[in-house]
Amino acid sequence: MGNTVQTELKRYRGEELDLSNPKYAEQIASMFGGEEYMEREYPALYGLFTNSKKRRLTADDSKQGFQNSAYIVDVIYDKKSGCAYAAGRIYLTGKAKRLYSQLVISMNGEEIGRESQFSSNTDTIKIDCSSMPFEEPPDNTVYKGVLYVTWQEEGSNVLRAMRNDDYREEVEGTGVEFVEEMTVGDPAYKKSSSGPIRVALIRRDDQVDYDYQDAKRDKDGNVDMHLKISGSAKLCDWHNCARVDMVDAVLNQPEKGTIFYDNDAGKKITISPDKKTLTWDLNDDWKNSVPESVVEGNRNSLFDMKIQFYCSACGANHRLIISSENYPQYAQYKFYKQIPKVNVLWGCLAAGTMVTMYDGTEKAIEQIQNGDLLVSDNGRPLKVTNVVVGEENFMYRLRLESGEEVLATLNHPFMGHHGLMPLRDIDSSTKLLKKNNEFERVLYCYREKYVGKVYGIETEYWGVFFANGIASGLHSDQGKFESDANTNQIKEDPEVEEEIKKLNNDFSAGRI
């Protein structure tokens, strides 16, 4: 038996700053050359900044579901290039009219690298920073990365800001000479070598990597979710694993924000008796409920896992990172492995929904079997290869102007004028395709209590079938929606664009 250590799961969401505090206001102003420079050169930005200083920060209302995040992937020194590197990631819960970020690297308290990104109409930034080459530092060198992010939400007249620190102590090199071999299960159950990890919640589905047909909802409608991410790292000769310091895992969703798996600190890392190998198994210890707000907006999510441990060699400790983050600078290293996206599938139709068959007859969806032929919108046959069965507590009743109705989950796709769209993006201005090959306007859609099974269909080739006469997408179509049709699009603001251009020019010229 190896040593089993319990590690504390730390939240790397970032600290939201109260700009009514002069200390924090000064930190943010320094991103833009200080208050005097900001007032003179960026009057629109300065107006937002002064409003923010008058407004005391209120409690964040996104305690469940997606949250704003700003975190540092890593801070390293690369012996090959002689440079220090850092990488930061920012995911917001909605598009920002302005989004400004700055990443700073320091060594033993002295700044050695700084990078800024200024952009608009976005919710995601990946920022990388590197120093100029310098001689290899001595042992016990302390690196620090600081990530600042400032943004203006659409319709707001203030700025919000977050800050995240990441210390790297007792670092000599990057670990490239310490890790001999590393394997990562991505996850252990994954059936295919490419594509996202496909997860079906409260569904029985043999064609996905995970199904949770026995998953339970709590009183708030939230569902348990457990991803099995396992792996091991073998150290080179004359190196031992001294301790595990941190385990962190998040799901990042562009246009939605971040889900933090921090409900429980019970992550287990096992160190072998000879201290040459450590293994991890992030599975049942998740113990996390996926909030309904997350369920109704989920798409392909970016999974990021990070394990931090210390290796002892030559009388010194060396901090090592095992990460799933896809950061090109680290691609050469054995201790960085990318984990595929996570695609959570939910959409289904209610029992009793009548599906049009290729021979013109209709059959209740619960009676559909593998091998049955459905008729597609172009009149060709669709051969059924899989029927997904699940349970839901609530469904949504969609009704067209002519009276056709269908009961579906909020994520189930239907065919509109511009292609497939999930039910949650449908409103009274939407027109859906019908069996008579015409488009008809939606009259209403409302939520109602439901007791019974729900069903999704997969076919041999892609197509749409007809559910109660309305063109419906397949179960797998859910992962194809890259953005919400009804997401508020922020119009290009010439003043903001000019400000962004000037900020980038000033940073490039070293004026800020």
Side-chain angles (χ1 to χ4, degrees), residues 93-150:
T93 55
K95 285 189 176 181
K97 188 172 182 178
R98 295 171 168 86
L99 179 55
Y100 309 134
S101 65
Q102 190 169 95
L103 180 57
V104 180
I105 311 173
S106 65
M107 181 179 70
N108 293 332
E110 179 181 353
E111 183 178 316
I112 58 174
R114 179 185 292 264
E115 185 63 41
S116 291
Q117 283 193 32
F118 310 109
S119 55
S120 65
N121 195 18
T122 186
D123 50 36
T124 304
I125 281 184
K126 295 185 177 183
I127 183 170
D128 305 329
C129 180
S130 63
S131 71
M132 297 296 292
F134 57 91
E135 292 186 4
E136 182 179 343
D139 289 351
N140 301 323
T141 297
V142 177
Y143 294 96
K144 180 182 179 182
V146 182
L147 175 63
Y148 295 98
V149 56
T150 302

Side-chain angles (χ1 to χ4, degrees), residues 97-98 120 490-499:
K97 188 172 182 178
R98 295 171 168 86
S120 65
I490 301 174
K491 296 180 180 180
E492 298 294 336
D493 186 329
E495 183 182 46
V496 175
E497 294 303 308
E498 188 63 29
E499 175 187 272

Side-chain angles (χ1 to χ4, degrees), residues 318-482:
H318 310 273
R319 195 278 288 138
L320 304 183
I321 284 286
I322 293 170
S323 176
S324 65
E325 172 66 31
N326 182 22
Y327 182 45
Q329 183 61 41
Y330 305 151
Q332 59 184 309
Y333 300 138
K334 296 179 181 179
F335 55 97
Y336 284 91
K337 300 287 185 181
Q338 184 182 4
I339 291 176
K341 294 179 180 179
V342 178
N343 177 213
V344 183
L345 304 176
W346 289 82
C348 278
L349 297 165
T353 300
M354 301 306 294
V355 177
T356 305
M357 312 302 289
Y358 183 61
D359 63 6
T361 62
E362 290 190 336
K363 184 185 287 189
I365 195 168
E366 62 268 27
Q367 297 174 355
I368 299 293
Q369 298 179 359
N370 288 357
D372 283 352
L373 297 180
L374 316 181
V375 67
S376 69
D377 60 331
N378 58 15
R380 296 179 180 178
L382 292 174
K383 185 178 180 180
V384 175
T385 58
N386 185 36
V387 178
V388 179
V389 184
E391 294 182 359
E392 291 290 338
N393 293 333
F394 292 92
M395 298 286 279
Y396 289 78
R397 183 174 298 275
L398 175 71
R399 185 173 186 176
L400 303 184
E401 287 183 331
S402 58
E404 285 95 337
E405 290 186 343
V406 65
L407 274 174
T409 54
L410 203 56
N411 231 28
H412 190 82
F414 293 92
M415 179 62 75
H417 262 305
H418 302 291
L420 286 172
M421 57 192 305
L423 185 147
R424 71 172 183 279
D425 289 344
I426 293 173
D427 58 28
S428 59
S429 67
T430 305
K431 290 185 177 181
L432 298 181
L433 179 65
K434 292 176 55 180
K435 190 165 57 175
N436 61 6
N437 206 32
E438 295 181 356
F439 286 88
E440 185 173 313
R441 191 178 304 278
V442 172
L443 182 62
Y444 59 69
C445 180
Y446 61 86
R447 189 185 193 199
E448 62 182 54
K449 185 72 176 175
Y450 179 80
V451 178
K453 301 290 186 182
V454 293
Y455 299 85
I457 291 177
E458 297 290 335
T459 59
E460 186 175 10
Y461 302 106
W462 184 86
V464 297
F465 64 96
F466 293 99
N468 288 352
I470 303 171
S472 167
L474 304 173
H475 190 60
S476 58
D477 285 328
Q478 297 168 72
K480 298 176 181 177
F481 305 126
E482 295 301 326

Side-chain angles (χ1 to χ4, degrees), residues 139-316:
D139 289 351
N140 301 323
T141 297
V142 177
Y143 294 96
K144 180 182 179 182
V146 182
L147 175 63
Y148 295 98
V149 56
T150 302
W151 72 99
Q152 178 195 6
E153 296 175 332
E154 178 66 6
S156 173
N157 66 347
V158 299
L159 293 174
R160 294 180 66 177
M162 297 183 78
R163 181 179 191 267
N164 202 329
D165 293 1
D166 207 5
Y167 288 90
R168 297 294 183 244
E169 300 183 8
E170 302 176 329
V171 177
E172 180 189 18
T174 64
V176 67
E177 70 271 43
F178 301 131
V179 177
E180 179 179 311
E181 181 181 4
M182 188 177 95
T183 60
V184 175
D186 54 359
Y189 299 141
K190 187 163 174 56
K191 296 179 174 64
S192 61
S193 58
S194 62
I197 299 169
R198 300 182 71 222
V199 179
L201 290 181
I202 321 185
R203 303 287 188 270
R204 185 180 73 249
D205 187 348
D206 295 334
Q207 296 186 2
V208 298
D209 301 306
Y210 291 85
D211 64 13
Y212 295 108
Q213 54 183 308
D214 298 324
K216 304 298 183 184
R217 291 184 185 268
D218 63 19
K219 60 181 177 59
D220 298 318
N222 303 332
V223 182
D224 288 339
M225 178 173 174
H226 310 283
L227 291 177
K228 181 177 175 62
I229 306 295
S230 60
S232 65
K234 180 181 178 182
L235 303 184
C236 300
D237 292 340
W238 314 108
H239 297 77
N240 297 317
C241 182
R243 73 179 191 272
V244 176
D245 187 55
M246 179 268 288
V247 179
D248 188 28
V250 297
L251 278 178
N252 291 319
Q253 174 62 57
E255 297 191 0
K256 293 295 181 182
T258 298
I259 307 172
F260 291 87
Y261 284 106
D262 59 355
N263 289 35
D264 206 321
K267 303 293 179 287
K268 295 181 180 178
I269 308 293
T270 302
I271 303 173
S272 65
D274 61 2
K275 297 187 177 182
K276 298 294 185 185
T277 304
L278 71 153
T279 59
W280 57 93
D281 186 356
L282 282 59
N283 188 13
D284 290 337
D285 285 332
W286 287 120
K287 294 181 181 175
N288 188 76
S289 291
V290 181
E292 190 74 16
S293 60
V294 171
V295 171
E296 296 182 357
N298 215 354
R299 290 294 181 270
N300 283 339
S301 300
L302 308 176
F303 179 85
D304 183 15
M305 174 197 73
K306 184 163 64 175
I307 298 174
Q308 176 177 306
F309 67 101
Y310 283 83
C311 167
S312 61
C314 305

